[in-house]
Structures are given as structure tokens and as C-alpha cells.
Amino acid sequence: ARCYSLVMPELPEMRALSERLRDTFLGAKLNRIDVLQFSALKTVSPSPLVLNGTTVLDVSSYGKYVIIDFDPARVMLHLSQAGRVEFEDPPKATKPKGALFRFRFEARPSVLVKEFGTERKASWWVLERDDDGPLQDLGPEPFSEDFAEIILRANDKRRLHTMLRDQRTVAGIGRGFADDILHRAKIAPFDPLSSLDEGRRHVLLETTHAVLEEALEQERKRTGGLPPKLGDRFTVHNRWGQPCPVCGETLRRVSYESYEVTYCPACQTNGKILADRRMSRLLR
């Protein structure tokens, strides 16, 4: 058993979800939005009511956000850690626990967004068509040339695990894929980017692409919305105490207040056990 049963959807989950939404709802008429919990809506103007009776023009994603374009406004959705999406076919009129809002479409399933957690809650925005809202503070996506330039040229001195999770640096990577990327690249999570030579930088970039592409390929096999449990989609993340799938060494963790970093000492840190202050306090 692990502490964090609900894990945050990252770029692969959100991109594949946006593709399913586009396949199902492109061109659909939105009859009505039911706002079921007002605290999750992060904008006041325009009102969600302006979308009633409009048509879905496009659905896309950026980082961990889904973007649904209508005319004259757009909706952005961030599921945070425990927000999830249901395609309701046939459409429903109930208000289940944790329900945030429901899109009611004409002759299509309805879309219900729910919150299963108590921290880092899902949020949504209703914006003018040319308003990037929360996207304007994000860095490039991992598959972009701008991200490649960062990895290959930047002199960032932060820990790599921290840097990869910083959405202002790169949009879409969270704790899970940061663990898996660094494990496959055989790079310690606390090493800074500035310490990597050219060869290891190329390995990090190629590994980032490979891990996310494989995850996206798996996510594209999913149907419907996004369920509460996303499955065992990680190689090492949240698997501390189990054998490393590469070398068999016991995976270790560094624990923080609400998350963990998982790594393999043999593959990533030359056998060094990274300091875990939480465990140190327990052992006193």
C-alpha cells in the first residue's frame, strides 16, 4: 500500500483526454453548463452562461490543461491531483459527491468533472477566446524546441527533480514522470542540470521524450473520460521498497510533506542513499 492512492494526471493523460474529448464532442452543441460547485471556477467574467447554446470549435491541451474552444469563449480545465472526468452516456441529472460542473450536450454524452481529493483541487476557467489565462505563466512543453534548448544549453543549478516539475520551466511533467525519466536516464534526482555534460544532457532529453511518448501511447488506449484510479502507469514512482526493474536493488524514497521522490541507489546515485529528513526524525 502507498500513501498517495490518487496521483496527478500529467501531460500524457491530459493530452489523450483532450483527444478523446475532441473526437466525441467536436461540433457538438452545448445545451447547458451546470455549475455544481462555484469554488472551482476561477473566473467571474465572462459568465459560463455565455457558452449555453454554442458549439465546440476545438479541443486541445497544453501541459496539464485541457482547452475547449467555443464561440465566443473558451474553457480551461486543470484536474490537479484528484480531479477526474466522466463521460455520462446516457446523460444524467444527479449531483454526485465532489461534482464540480457538468456540460450537457445535444445528442451526445454529458461531461461531468468531479473532485475526489481534499488538497490541490481541480479548477476551471471561462475566458475570452484570445485569453491564455493560466497558460501565460507556463514554460514550454517537453516536445518543443524551447525545452530542448533548456536541457542542452541552460545552466540551471536547481535539483533536476525540482526543475522538471516546475511548470514555469516545462509544462506537463509532474512527480511521477520526473521519477521515471530520471531513473531511466540513470541520473540522480538531486543533481543539477548544470552538472551534466553534453552527453548526459542528450540522454536526459531523449529519455524525457521516450518516457512521455510511451505513456501517451498507453493513454490513447483508454476510452471515455479519466477514472479515479489511473493504473500502475509508472516504472518506479511510488514503488519504493520494491526491486528496481533494471538492477534489482531496492528502490528508495525521499519523503516530503505531501509527496515522495523515488530512485534507485545503484542506477542513479552510485550507491549513495539520499538524506530523508522525515525518516531521520522517525528514527531518533
Side-chain angles (χ1 to χ4, degrees):
R2 291 291 178 258
C3 299
Y4 315 113
S5 57
L6 285 172
V7 289
M8 179 179 291
E10 302 182 27
L11 182 146
E13 289 79 26
M14 299 307 284
R15 181 170 294 185
L17 173 62
S18 74
E19 292 170 354
R20 295 194 298 277
L21 285 165
R22 191 178 194 276
D23 289 344
T24 306
F25 299 102
L26 185 66
K29 179 182 177 182
L30 179 65
N31 284 338
R32 190 172 82 234
I33 294 181
D34 295 335
V35 181
L36 303 173
Q37 185 186 120
F38 283 92
S39 63
L41 179 60
K42 301 305 178 184
T43 50
V44 176
S45 179
S47 165
L49 298 180
V50 304
L51 298 173
N52 291 344
T54 62
T55 299
V56 177
L57 301 180
D58 195 17
V59 184
S60 58
S61 67
Y62 192 91
K64 299 179 185 179
Y65 290 80
V66 165
I67 307 155
I68 308 175
D69 283 306
F70 299 87
D71 188 9
R74 65 197 328 201
V75 170
M76 292 187 188
L77 170 65
H78 189 288
L79 294 178
S80 194
Q81 178 164 312
R84 296 297 187 263
V85 177
E86 294 181 11
F87 289 12
E88 298 177 325
D89 192 9
K92 298 179 182 178
T94 58
K95 183 184 177 182
K97 181 180 178 181
L100 303 184
F101 64 91
R102 177 183 279 117
F103 285 172
R104 295 179 176 274
F105 291 98
E106 186 175 285
R108 308 284 175 97
S110 58
V111 175
L112 177 69
V113 177
K114 298 173 65 177
E115 172 61 57
F116 287 87
T118 57
E119 299 180 3
R120 296 187 296 278
K121 291 187 175 182
S123 303
W124 64 298
W125 293 254
V126 179
L127 304 160
E128 301 289 350
R129 281 292 306 281
D130 60 352
D131 189 347
D132 285 335
L135 304 185
Q136 63 188 355
D137 297 324
L138 300 181
E141 287 193 308
F143 299 110
S144 68
E145 292 184 4
D146 288 342
F147 176 67
E149 186 69 16
I150 291 170
I151 295 297
L152 298 178
R153 304 282 178 255
N155 194 39
D156 199 306
K157 292 180 168 57
R158 290 175 295 169
R159 292 171 171 178
L160 270 168
H161 200 280
T162 300
M163 191 197 88
L164 289 174
R165 292 185 293 107
D166 182 355
Q167 302 303 297
R168 296 165 298 180
T169 301
V170 53
I173 300 175
R175 296 157 189 157
F177 286 115
D179 279 352
D180 279 13
I181 288 165
L182 293 172
H183 174 263
R184 188 182 297 192
K186 297 185 183 298
I187 296 173
F190 290 175
D191 283 356
L193 180 65
S194 59
S195 71
L196 303 186
D197 60 25
E198 182 178 357
R200 295 180 79 206
R201 286 171 181 254
H202 277 282
V203 167
L204 177 58
L205 180 62
E206 292 163 5
T207 301
T208 300
H209 290 166
V211 168
L212 295 178
E213 285 168 353
E214 290 168 15
L216 181 56
E217 183 179 349
Q218 286 299 117
E219 275 300 307
R220 283 174 170 154
K221 298 176 182 178
R222 197 186 297 276
T223 59
L226 202 63
K229 294 184 179 180
L230 299 180
D232 294 330
R233 68 199 202 278
F234 297 120
T235 302
V236 298
H237 176 66
N238 217 19
R239 295 181 182 274
W240 52 268
Q242 299 179 28
C244 169
V246 174
C247 72
E249 177 66 63
T250 300
L251 295 172
R252 300 280 186 149
R253 64 173 171 168
V254 179
S255 300
Y256 295 93
E257 192 64 33
S258 59
Y259 74 98
E260 299 168 344
V261 175
T262 307
Y263 68 98
C264 172
C267 291
Q268 294 174 259
T269 62
N270 294 318
K272 179 182 177 182
I273 306 300
L274 301 177
D276 185 345
R277 283 195 284 264
R278 177 183 290 188
M279 292 304 298
S280 298
R281 291 196 298 267
L282 292 174
L283 294 173
R284 285 176 184 170

